[in-house]
Amino acid sequence: NQRLQEMLRTMCRARGAELCPTDERYCIDNGAMIAQAGWEMLRVGQVTELSQSGITQRYRTDEVEVTWRD
């Protein structure tokens, strides 16, 4: 999605990061990306109890608290 990439690129620039979009051949299943993010969170001890978890379809990527990076 070109519009999403434009938005992400803008957010990355604002934070001093670079967007490295994945080749379209690999943009089929968001499950792999969700699993990777979950692994990174678990690796640093960021765990959400099941009773505190939920689904938000309109969750904004710029609202995610990234605690596993320096």
Short mmCIF file of all heavy atoms in Angstrom, two decimals:
data_model
loop_
_atom_site.label_atom_id
_atom_site.label_comp_id
_atom_site.label_asym_id
_atom_site.label_seq_id
_atom_site.Cartn_x
_atom_site.Cartn_y
_atom_site.Cartn_z
N ASN A 1 0.84 -1.17 0.00
CA ASN A 1 0.00 0.00 0.00
C ASN A 1 0.90 1.24 0.00
O ASN A 1 1.57 1.54 0.98
CB ASN A 1 -0.91 -0.04 1.23
CG ASN A 1 -1.87 1.10 1.27
OD1 ASN A 1 -1.52 2.24 1.02
ND2 ASN A 1 -3.11 0.80 1.62
N GLN A 2 0.86 1.95 -1.10
CA GLN A 2 1.74 3.12 -1.26
C GLN A 2 1.42 4.22 -0.26
O GLN A 2 2.33 4.85 0.29
CB GLN A 2 1.62 3.66 -2.69
CG GLN A 2 2.19 2.73 -3.73
CD GLN A 2 3.66 2.45 -3.51
OE1 GLN A 2 4.43 3.35 -3.19
NE2 GLN A 2 4.07 1.21 -3.66
N ARG A 3 0.15 4.45 0.01
CA ARG A 3 -0.23 5.51 0.95
C ARG A 3 0.29 5.18 2.35
O ARG A 3 0.81 6.04 3.05
CB ARG A 3 -1.75 5.70 0.96
CG ARG A 3 -2.24 6.70 1.96
CD ARG A 3 -1.73 8.11 1.65
NE ARG A 3 -2.16 9.03 2.68
CZ ARG A 3 -1.38 9.89 3.29
NH1 ARG A 3 -0.12 10.01 2.95
NH2 ARG A 3 -1.83 10.68 4.22
N LEU A 4 0.14 3.94 2.77
CA LEU A 4 0.64 3.53 4.08
C LEU A 4 2.15 3.71 4.16
O LEU A 4 2.68 4.21 5.16
CB LEU A 4 0.27 2.08 4.37
CG LEU A 4 0.77 1.49 5.68
CD1 LEU A 4 0.26 2.30 6.86
CD2 LEU A 4 0.36 0.04 5.81
N GLN A 5 2.86 3.36 3.09
CA GLN A 5 4.31 3.53 3.09
C GLN A 5 4.69 5.01 3.19
O GLN A 5 5.65 5.36 3.87
CB GLN A 5 4.93 2.91 1.84
CG GLN A 5 4.98 1.41 1.92
CD GLN A 5 5.74 0.80 0.76
OE1 GLN A 5 6.58 1.45 0.14
NE2 GLN A 5 5.45 -0.45 0.46
N GLU A 6 3.93 5.88 2.52
CA GLU A 6 4.19 7.32 2.62
C GLU A 6 4.02 7.79 4.06
O GLU A 6 4.85 8.55 4.59
CB GLU A 6 3.22 8.10 1.74
CG GLU A 6 3.48 7.98 0.26
CD GLU A 6 2.38 8.66 -0.55
OE1 GLU A 6 1.73 9.59 -0.03
OE2 GLU A 6 2.16 8.23 -1.70
N MET A 7 2.95 7.33 4.72
CA MET A 7 2.69 7.73 6.10
C MET A 7 3.80 7.21 7.02
O MET A 7 4.29 7.94 7.89
CB MET A 7 1.32 7.21 6.55
CG MET A 7 0.18 7.88 5.83
SD MET A 7 -1.43 7.08 6.04
CE MET A 7 -1.56 6.87 7.78
N LEU A 8 4.18 5.96 6.84
CA LEU A 8 5.23 5.37 7.66
C LEU A 8 6.57 6.06 7.44
O LEU A 8 7.32 6.30 8.38
CB LEU A 8 5.35 3.87 7.38
CG LEU A 8 4.18 3.02 7.85
CD1 LEU A 8 4.31 1.60 7.31
CD2 LEU A 8 4.08 3.03 9.35
N ARG A 9 6.86 6.39 6.19
CA ARG A 9 8.11 7.08 5.88
C ARG A 9 8.16 8.43 6.60
O ARG A 9 9.18 8.83 7.17
CB ARG A 9 8.25 7.26 4.37
CG ARG A 9 9.62 7.67 3.92
CD ARG A 9 9.81 7.56 2.42
NE ARG A 9 10.12 6.18 2.04
CZ ARG A 9 9.30 5.37 1.38
NH1 ARG A 9 8.11 5.78 1.00
NH2 ARG A 9 9.66 4.14 1.09
N THR A 10 7.03 9.15 6.61
CA THR A 10 6.94 10.44 7.30
C THR A 10 7.17 10.26 8.80
O THR A 10 7.92 11.02 9.42
CB THR A 10 5.57 11.09 7.04
OG1 THR A 10 5.43 11.32 5.63
CG2 THR A 10 5.43 12.40 7.78
N MET A 11 6.52 9.25 9.39
CA MET A 11 6.69 9.01 10.83
C MET A 11 8.13 8.62 11.14
O MET A 11 8.69 9.06 12.15
CB MET A 11 5.74 7.90 11.29
CG MET A 11 4.30 8.34 11.38
SD MET A 11 3.23 7.11 12.14
CE MET A 11 3.09 5.91 10.84
N CYS A 12 8.75 7.82 10.28
CA CYS A 12 10.14 7.41 10.51
C CYS A 12 11.07 8.61 10.45
O CYS A 12 11.93 8.78 11.32
CB CYS A 12 10.56 6.37 9.47
SG CYS A 12 9.85 4.73 9.76
N ARG A 13 10.91 9.45 9.43
CA ARG A 13 11.76 10.64 9.30
C ARG A 13 11.66 11.52 10.54
O ARG A 13 12.67 12.04 11.02
CB ARG A 13 11.36 11.44 8.07
CG ARG A 13 12.08 10.98 6.84
CD ARG A 13 11.93 11.99 5.71
NE ARG A 13 11.71 11.27 4.48
CZ ARG A 13 10.61 11.29 3.75
NH1 ARG A 13 9.60 12.04 4.07
NH2 ARG A 13 10.53 10.57 2.65
N ALA A 14 10.44 11.67 11.05
CA ALA A 14 10.22 12.52 12.23
C ALA A 14 10.95 11.97 13.45
O ALA A 14 11.23 12.72 14.39
CB ALA A 14 8.72 12.65 12.51
N ARG A 15 11.26 10.68 13.43
CA ARG A 15 11.89 10.04 14.58
C ARG A 15 13.35 9.65 14.30
O ARG A 15 13.95 8.90 15.04
CB ARG A 15 11.08 8.82 14.99
CG ARG A 15 9.73 9.20 15.57
CD ARG A 15 8.76 8.02 15.55
NE ARG A 15 7.51 8.36 16.18
CZ ARG A 15 6.53 9.06 15.62
NH1 ARG A 15 6.65 9.51 14.39
NH2 ARG A 15 5.40 9.32 16.27
N GLY A 16 13.87 10.13 13.18
CA GLY A 16 15.25 9.83 12.85
C GLY A 16 15.48 8.40 12.41
O GLY A 16 16.58 7.86 12.58
N ALA A 17 14.47 7.77 11.85
CA ALA A 17 14.59 6.38 11.40
C ALA A 17 14.40 6.32 9.90
O ALA A 17 14.02 7.30 9.26
CB ALA A 17 13.53 5.51 12.10
N GLU A 18 14.69 5.17 9.34
CA GLU A 18 14.53 4.96 7.91
C GLU A 18 13.55 3.82 7.68
O GLU A 18 13.65 2.77 8.32
CB GLU A 18 15.88 4.60 7.28
CG GLU A 18 15.80 4.33 5.81
CD GLU A 18 17.13 3.88 5.24
OE1 GLU A 18 18.14 3.94 5.95
OE2 GLU A 18 17.15 3.46 4.08
N LEU A 19 12.59 4.01 6.79
CA LEU A 19 11.64 2.96 6.45
C LEU A 19 12.29 2.03 5.44
O LEU A 19 12.86 2.47 4.44
CB LEU A 19 10.36 3.55 5.86
CG LEU A 19 9.32 2.52 5.41
CD1 LEU A 19 8.77 1.76 6.61
CD2 LEU A 19 8.21 3.19 4.62
N CYS A 20 12.23 0.75 5.70
CA CYS A 20 12.75 -0.26 4.78
C CYS A 20 11.60 -1.20 4.43
O CYS A 20 11.47 -2.27 5.03
CB CYS A 20 13.89 -1.03 5.42
SG CYS A 20 15.28 0.00 5.89
N PRO A 21 10.75 -0.79 3.49
CA PRO A 21 9.57 -1.62 3.19
C PRO A 21 9.96 -2.97 2.63
O PRO A 21 10.97 -3.11 1.93
CB PRO A 21 8.80 -0.80 2.17
CG PRO A 21 9.75 0.21 1.64
CD PRO A 21 10.82 0.40 2.65
N THR A 22 9.16 -3.95 2.94
CA THR A 22 9.38 -5.31 2.48
C THR A 22 8.95 -5.46 1.03
O THR A 22 7.99 -4.85 0.60
CB THR A 22 8.56 -6.28 3.36
OG1 THR A 22 8.93 -6.08 4.72
CG2 THR A 22 8.80 -7.72 2.99
N ASP A 23 9.66 -6.27 0.31
CA ASP A 23 9.30 -6.59 -1.07
C ASP A 23 7.85 -7.09 -1.10
O ASP A 23 7.43 -7.85 -0.23
CB ASP A 23 10.25 -7.67 -1.58
CG ASP A 23 10.05 -7.98 -3.04
OD1 ASP A 23 8.93 -8.36 -3.43
OD2 ASP A 23 11.02 -7.85 -3.80
N GLU A 24 7.09 -6.68 -2.10
CA GLU A 24 5.67 -7.04 -2.18
C GLU A 24 5.43 -8.54 -2.15
O GLU A 24 4.37 -8.99 -1.72
CB GLU A 24 5.04 -6.43 -3.44
CG GLU A 24 4.85 -4.94 -3.33
CD GLU A 24 4.10 -4.37 -4.52
OE1 GLU A 24 3.32 -5.11 -5.14
OE2 GLU A 24 4.31 -3.19 -4.80
N ARG A 25 6.40 -9.33 -2.56
CA ARG A 25 6.23 -10.79 -2.52
C ARG A 25 6.02 -11.29 -1.10
O ARG A 25 5.46 -12.35 -0.89
CB ARG A 25 7.46 -11.48 -3.10
CG ARG A 25 7.69 -11.22 -4.56
CD ARG A 25 9.00 -11.81 -5.01
NE ARG A 25 10.09 -11.12 -4.32
CZ ARG A 25 11.36 -11.50 -4.36
NH1 ARG A 25 11.70 -12.57 -5.03
NH2 ARG A 25 12.28 -10.80 -3.73
N TYR A 26 6.50 -10.53 -0.11
CA TYR A 26 6.43 -10.97 1.27
C TYR A 26 5.37 -10.22 2.08
O TYR A 26 5.29 -10.38 3.28
CB TYR A 26 7.79 -10.81 1.94
CG TYR A 26 8.87 -11.53 1.17
CD1 TYR A 26 9.82 -10.82 0.45
CD2 TYR A 26 8.92 -12.92 1.16
CE1 TYR A 26 10.80 -11.48 -0.27
CE2 TYR A 26 9.90 -13.58 0.44
CZ TYR A 26 10.83 -12.86 -0.27
OH TYR A 26 11.79 -13.52 -0.97
N CYS A 27 4.59 -9.41 1.42
CA CYS A 27 3.56 -8.61 2.11
C CYS A 27 2.19 -9.28 2.06
O CYS A 27 1.17 -8.62 1.90
CB CYS A 27 3.48 -7.21 1.49
SG CYS A 27 4.95 -6.23 1.76
N ILE A 28 2.17 -10.55 2.20
CA ILE A 28 0.92 -11.30 2.08
C ILE A 28 0.29 -11.54 3.44
O ILE A 28 -0.91 -11.42 3.61
CB ILE A 28 1.17 -12.65 1.39
CG1 ILE A 28 1.67 -12.40 -0.04
CG2 ILE A 28 -0.08 -13.50 1.38
CD1 ILE A 28 2.17 -13.63 -0.73
N ASP A 29 1.10 -11.84 4.44
CA ASP A 29 0.57 -12.26 5.73
C ASP A 29 1.12 -11.39 6.85
O ASP A 29 2.30 -11.45 7.18
CB ASP A 29 0.95 -13.72 5.96
CG ASP A 29 0.33 -14.29 7.23
OD1 ASP A 29 -0.43 -13.56 7.90
OD2 ASP A 29 0.60 -15.45 7.53
N ASN A 30 0.26 -10.58 7.45
CA ASN A 30 0.68 -9.75 8.57
C ASN A 30 0.96 -10.59 9.81
O ASN A 30 1.59 -10.10 10.74
CB ASN A 30 -0.39 -8.71 8.90
CG ASN A 30 -0.40 -7.59 7.89
OD1 ASN A 30 0.57 -7.38 7.17
ND2 ASN A 30 -1.49 -6.87 7.83
N GLY A 31 0.53 -11.83 9.81
CA GLY A 31 0.76 -12.70 10.96
C GLY A 31 2.24 -12.84 11.29
O GLY A 31 2.63 -12.87 12.45
N ALA A 32 3.07 -12.92 10.27
CA ALA A 32 4.52 -13.04 10.49
C ALA A 32 5.06 -11.78 11.15
O ALA A 32 5.90 -11.85 12.05
CB ALA A 32 5.23 -13.30 9.17
N MET A 33 4.58 -10.62 10.74
CA MET A 33 5.05 -9.37 11.33
C MET A 33 4.56 -9.24 12.77
O MET A 33 5.28 -8.78 13.65
CB MET A 33 4.58 -8.18 10.49
CG MET A 33 5.28 -8.13 9.15
SD MET A 33 4.77 -6.73 8.17
CE MET A 33 3.35 -7.41 7.34
N ILE A 34 3.32 -9.66 13.02
CA ILE A 34 2.78 -9.62 14.38
C ILE A 34 3.56 -10.57 15.28
O ILE A 34 3.89 -10.24 16.42
CB ILE A 34 1.27 -9.96 14.36
CG1 ILE A 34 0.51 -8.85 13.65
CG2 ILE A 34 0.75 -10.19 15.78
CD1 ILE A 34 -0.92 -9.21 13.30
N ALA A 35 3.87 -11.75 14.76
CA ALA A 35 4.63 -12.72 15.54
C ALA A 35 6.02 -12.19 15.88
O ALA A 35 6.50 -12.35 17.01
CB ALA A 35 4.74 -14.04 14.76
N GLN A 36 6.68 -11.52 14.93
CA GLN A 36 8.01 -10.97 15.19
C GLN A 36 7.93 -9.88 16.26
O GLN A 36 8.76 -9.84 17.18
CB GLN A 36 8.62 -10.39 13.91
CG GLN A 36 10.01 -9.82 14.09
CD GLN A 36 11.04 -10.88 14.44
OE1 GLN A 36 11.00 -11.99 13.93
NE2 GLN A 36 11.97 -10.54 15.31
N ALA A 37 6.95 -9.00 16.15
CA ALA A 37 6.80 -7.95 17.17
C ALA A 37 6.53 -8.58 18.53
O ALA A 37 7.08 -8.14 19.55
CB ALA A 37 5.67 -7.00 16.79
N GLY A 38 5.69 -9.62 18.57
CA GLY A 38 5.42 -10.32 19.82
C GLY A 38 6.66 -10.95 20.41
O GLY A 38 6.89 -10.89 21.63
N TRP A 39 7.48 -11.54 19.56
CA TRP A 39 8.73 -12.15 20.03
C TRP A 39 9.65 -11.09 20.63
O TRP A 39 10.24 -11.29 21.69
CB TRP A 39 9.43 -12.88 18.89
CG TRP A 39 10.86 -13.15 19.21
CD1 TRP A 39 11.95 -12.58 18.64
CD2 TRP A 39 11.36 -14.03 20.23
NE1 TRP A 39 13.10 -13.06 19.23
CE2 TRP A 39 12.77 -13.96 20.21
CE3 TRP A 39 10.76 -14.88 21.14
CZ2 TRP A 39 13.57 -14.69 21.08
CZ3 TRP A 39 11.57 -15.61 22.00
CH2 TRP A 39 12.95 -15.51 21.96
N GLU A 40 9.78 -9.95 19.95
CA GLU A 40 10.65 -8.89 20.45
C GLU A 40 10.15 -8.38 21.80
O GLU A 40 10.95 -8.11 22.70
CB GLU A 40 10.75 -7.74 19.44
CG GLU A 40 11.38 -8.12 18.12
CD GLU A 40 12.83 -8.53 18.21
OE1 GLU A 40 13.49 -8.27 19.23
OE2 GLU A 40 13.33 -9.13 17.23
N MET A 41 8.85 -8.26 21.95
CA MET A 41 8.28 -7.79 23.22
C MET A 41 8.55 -8.82 24.33
O MET A 41 8.96 -8.45 25.43
CB MET A 41 6.78 -7.55 23.05
CG MET A 41 6.48 -6.38 22.12
SD MET A 41 4.76 -6.28 21.63
CE MET A 41 4.03 -5.71 23.15
N LEU A 42 8.31 -10.09 24.04
CA LEU A 42 8.54 -11.15 25.02
C LEU A 42 10.02 -11.21 25.42
O LEU A 42 10.35 -11.35 26.60
CB LEU A 42 8.09 -12.50 24.46
CG LEU A 42 8.30 -13.70 25.38
CD1 LEU A 42 7.45 -13.56 26.65
CD2 LEU A 42 7.96 -14.99 24.64
N ARG A 43 10.89 -11.05 24.44
CA ARG A 43 12.33 -11.13 24.67
C ARG A 43 12.81 -10.11 25.71
O ARG A 43 13.72 -10.38 26.49
CB ARG A 43 13.06 -10.90 23.35
CG ARG A 43 14.55 -11.10 23.39
CD ARG A 43 15.16 -10.96 21.99
NE ARG A 43 14.94 -9.67 21.39
CZ ARG A 43 15.66 -8.57 21.64
NH1 ARG A 43 16.66 -8.63 22.49
NH2 ARG A 43 15.39 -7.44 21.04
N VAL A 44 12.17 -8.94 25.76
CA VAL A 44 12.58 -7.92 26.74
C VAL A 44 11.67 -7.89 27.96
O VAL A 44 11.75 -6.99 28.79
CB VAL A 44 12.66 -6.51 26.10
CG1 VAL A 44 13.71 -6.47 25.02
CG2 VAL A 44 11.31 -6.05 25.60
N GLY A 45 10.78 -8.89 28.07
CA GLY A 45 9.93 -8.99 29.25
C GLY A 45 8.66 -8.16 29.21
O GLY A 45 8.00 -8.00 30.23
N GLN A 46 8.31 -7.64 28.05
CA GLN A 46 7.07 -6.87 27.92
C GLN A 46 5.93 -7.85 27.64
O GLN A 46 5.77 -8.32 26.52
CB GLN A 46 7.18 -5.84 26.80
CG GLN A 46 5.96 -4.95 26.70
CD GLN A 46 6.12 -3.91 25.61
OE1 GLN A 46 7.20 -3.68 25.09
NE2 GLN A 46 5.02 -3.28 25.26
N VAL A 47 5.17 -8.15 28.68
CA VAL A 47 4.10 -9.15 28.58
C VAL A 47 2.78 -8.51 28.98
O VAL A 47 2.72 -7.78 29.97
CB VAL A 47 4.41 -10.36 29.50
CG1 VAL A 47 3.29 -11.38 29.44
CG2 VAL A 47 5.74 -10.99 29.13
N THR A 48 1.74 -8.79 28.22
CA THR A 48 0.40 -8.31 28.53
C THR A 48 -0.44 -9.50 28.97
O THR A 48 -0.54 -10.50 28.24
CB THR A 48 -0.25 -7.65 27.30
OG1 THR A 48 0.58 -6.59 26.85
CG2 THR A 48 -1.64 -7.12 27.62
N GLU A 49 -1.01 -9.41 30.14
CA GLU A 49 -1.87 -10.49 30.62
C GLU A 49 -3.07 -10.63 29.67
O GLU A 49 -3.57 -9.64 29.14
CB GLU A 49 -2.38 -10.19 32.03
CG GLU A 49 -1.28 -10.18 33.08
CD GLU A 49 -0.63 -11.53 33.23
OE1 GLU A 49 -1.33 -12.57 33.09
OE2 GLU A 49 0.58 -11.56 33.49
N LEU A 50 -3.51 -11.85 29.46
CA LEU A 50 -4.62 -12.09 28.55
C LEU A 50 -5.84 -11.27 28.95
O LEU A 50 -6.53 -10.71 28.08
CB LEU A 50 -4.96 -13.59 28.53
CG LEU A 50 -6.03 -14.01 27.53
CD1 LEU A 50 -5.64 -13.63 26.11
CD2 LEU A 50 -6.28 -15.51 27.62
N SER A 51 -6.10 -11.15 30.23
CA SER A 51 -7.27 -10.38 30.69
C SER A 51 -7.16 -8.90 30.36
O SER A 51 -8.16 -8.19 30.32
CB SER A 51 -7.46 -10.56 32.20
OG SER A 51 -6.33 -10.05 32.90
N GLN A 52 -5.93 -8.42 30.10
CA GLN A 52 -5.70 -7.01 29.78
C GLN A 52 -5.56 -6.77 28.27
O GLN A 52 -5.37 -5.63 27.84
CB GLN A 52 -4.43 -6.51 30.48
CG GLN A 52 -4.50 -6.59 31.98
CD GLN A 52 -5.60 -5.70 32.54
OE1 GLN A 52 -5.70 -4.55 32.16
NE2 GLN A 52 -6.42 -6.25 33.41
N SER A 53 -5.61 -7.83 27.50
CA SER A 53 -5.41 -7.69 26.06
C SER A 53 -6.75 -7.52 25.34
O SER A 53 -7.81 -7.79 25.89
CB SER A 53 -4.67 -8.91 25.49
OG SER A 53 -5.48 -10.06 25.61
N GLY A 54 -6.66 -7.06 24.11
CA GLY A 54 -7.87 -6.86 23.32
C GLY A 54 -7.50 -6.62 21.86
O GLY A 54 -6.33 -6.66 21.48
N ILE A 55 -8.49 -6.34 21.07
CA ILE A 55 -8.30 -6.11 19.64
C ILE A 55 -8.74 -4.70 19.31
O ILE A 55 -9.83 -4.27 19.69
CB ILE A 55 -9.12 -7.12 18.81
CG1 ILE A 55 -8.65 -8.53 19.11
CG2 ILE A 55 -9.03 -6.80 17.32
CD1 ILE A 55 -9.53 -9.61 18.55
N THR A 56 -7.89 -3.99 18.63
CA THR A 56 -8.21 -2.64 18.17
C THR A 56 -7.86 -2.58 16.69
O THR A 56 -6.69 -2.52 16.33
CB THR A 56 -7.41 -1.57 18.94
OG1 THR A 56 -7.64 -1.75 20.33
CG2 THR A 56 -7.82 -0.18 18.52
N GLN A 57 -8.87 -2.60 15.82
CA GLN A 57 -8.61 -2.60 14.39
C GLN A 57 -8.00 -1.29 13.91
O GLN A 57 -7.30 -1.25 12.93
CB GLN A 57 -9.89 -2.87 13.61
CG GLN A 57 -10.35 -4.30 13.74
CD GLN A 57 -11.59 -4.55 12.93
OE1 GLN A 57 -12.50 -3.74 12.91
NE2 GLN A 57 -11.63 -5.67 12.26
N ARG A 58 -8.24 -0.21 14.60
CA ARG A 58 -7.75 1.09 14.16
C ARG A 58 -6.54 1.55 14.98
O ARG A 58 -6.31 2.72 15.14
CB ARG A 58 -8.86 2.12 14.27
CG ARG A 58 -10.08 1.75 13.46
CD ARG A 58 -10.30 2.77 12.38
NE ARG A 58 -11.48 2.44 11.63
CZ ARG A 58 -11.48 2.22 10.34
NH1 ARG A 58 -10.37 2.30 9.67
NH2 ARG A 58 -12.58 1.92 9.70
N TYR A 59 -5.77 0.60 15.48
CA TYR A 59 -4.58 0.92 16.28
C TYR A 59 -3.57 1.63 15.39
O TYR A 59 -3.22 1.14 14.31
CB TYR A 59 -3.98 -0.36 16.84
CG TYR A 59 -3.10 -0.15 18.04
CD1 TYR A 59 -3.65 0.07 19.29
CD2 TYR A 59 -1.73 -0.17 17.92
CE1 TYR A 59 -2.85 0.26 20.39
CE2 TYR A 59 -0.91 0.02 19.02
CZ TYR A 59 -1.49 0.23 20.25
OH TYR A 59 -0.69 0.42 21.34
N ARG A 60 -3.09 2.75 15.81
CA ARG A 60 -2.15 3.53 15.01
C ARG A 60 -0.73 3.07 15.28
O ARG A 60 -0.32 2.90 16.42
CB ARG A 60 -2.29 5.02 15.35
CG ARG A 60 -3.63 5.60 14.94
CD ARG A 60 -3.71 7.06 15.31
NE ARG A 60 -2.52 7.80 14.91
CZ ARG A 60 -2.42 8.52 13.79
NH1 ARG A 60 -3.43 8.60 12.97
NH2 ARG A 60 -1.31 9.17 13.51
N THR A 61 0.04 2.92 14.21
CA THR A 61 1.41 2.45 14.37
C THR A 61 2.27 3.44 15.14
O THR A 61 3.25 3.05 15.77
CB THR A 61 2.06 2.19 12.99
OG1 THR A 61 1.97 3.38 12.20
CG2 THR A 61 1.37 1.04 12.28
N ASP A 62 1.91 4.72 15.13
CA ASP A 62 2.71 5.69 15.88
C ASP A 62 2.33 5.76 17.35
O ASP A 62 2.89 6.53 18.11
CB ASP A 62 2.64 7.07 15.24
CG ASP A 62 1.24 7.64 15.17
OD1 ASP A 62 0.27 6.88 15.34
OD2 ASP A 62 1.11 8.85 14.94
N GLU A 63 1.39 4.91 17.79
CA GLU A 63 1.01 4.84 19.19
C GLU A 63 1.63 3.64 19.90
O GLU A 63 1.45 3.47 21.10
CB GLU A 63 -0.52 4.75 19.33
CG GLU A 63 -1.23 6.03 18.90
CD GLU A 63 -2.75 5.91 18.98
OE1 GLU A 63 -3.25 4.79 19.18
OE2 GLU A 63 -3.41 6.93 18.83
N VAL A 64 2.35 2.82 19.18
CA VAL A 64 2.95 1.62 19.75
C VAL A 64 4.16 2.01 20.57
O VAL A 64 5.04 2.73 20.10
CB VAL A 64 3.36 0.63 18.64
CG1 VAL A 64 4.08 -0.57 19.24
CG2 VAL A 64 2.15 0.19 17.84
N GLU A 65 4.21 1.55 21.81
CA GLU A 65 5.37 1.80 22.66
C GLU A 65 6.43 0.75 22.36
O GLU A 65 6.25 -0.43 22.64
CB GLU A 65 4.99 1.75 24.14
CG GLU A 65 6.16 2.03 25.05
CD GLU A 65 5.80 1.94 26.51
OE1 GLU A 65 4.65 1.62 26.84
OE2 GLU A 65 6.70 2.20 27.33
N VAL A 66 7.51 1.17 21.75
CA VAL A 66 8.59 0.25 21.40
C VAL A 66 9.60 0.28 22.53
O VAL A 66 10.28 1.27 22.77
CB VAL A 66 9.26 0.67 20.07
CG1 VAL A 66 10.42 -0.25 19.74
CG2 VAL A 66 8.22 0.64 18.95
N THR A 67 9.69 -0.85 23.25
CA THR A 67 10.59 -0.92 24.41
C THR A 67 11.77 -1.85 24.15
O THR A 67 12.62 -1.97 25.01
CB THR A 67 9.82 -1.42 25.65
OG1 THR A 67 9.28 -2.72 25.35
CG2 THR A 67 8.69 -0.48 26.00
N TRP A 68 11.82 -2.49 23.00
CA TRP A 68 12.85 -3.47 22.75
C TRP A 68 14.00 -2.92 21.91
O TRP A 68 14.89 -3.64 21.53
CB TRP A 68 12.28 -4.71 22.09
CG TRP A 68 11.60 -4.47 20.78
CD1 TRP A 68 12.20 -4.42 19.54
CD2 TRP A 68 10.23 -4.23 20.56
NE1 TRP A 68 11.27 -4.16 18.57
CE2 TRP A 68 10.03 -4.05 19.17
CE3 TRP A 68 9.11 -4.16 21.39
CZ2 TRP A 68 8.79 -3.79 18.62
CZ3 TRP A 68 7.87 -3.90 20.83
CH2 TRP A 68 7.73 -3.73 19.45
N ARG A 69 13.99 -1.63 21.63
CA ARG A 69 15.08 -1.02 20.87
C ARG A 69 15.77 0.03 21.73
O ARG A 69 15.18 0.64 22.59
CB ARG A 69 14.54 -0.34 19.62
CG ARG A 69 14.03 -1.33 18.59
CD ARG A 69 13.62 -0.63 17.34
NE ARG A 69 14.75 0.11 16.80
CZ ARG A 69 14.62 1.06 15.90
NH1 ARG A 69 13.44 1.40 15.46
NH2 ARG A 69 15.67 1.68 15.44
N ASP A 70 17.03 0.28 21.42
CA ASP A 70 17.79 1.32 22.11
C ASP A 70 17.38 2.68 21.61
O ASP A 70 17.04 2.90 20.50
CB ASP A 70 19.29 1.14 21.88
CG ASP A 70 19.77 -0.14 22.52
OD1 ASP A 70 19.17 -0.58 23.51
OD2 ASP A 70 20.76 -0.70 22.02
#
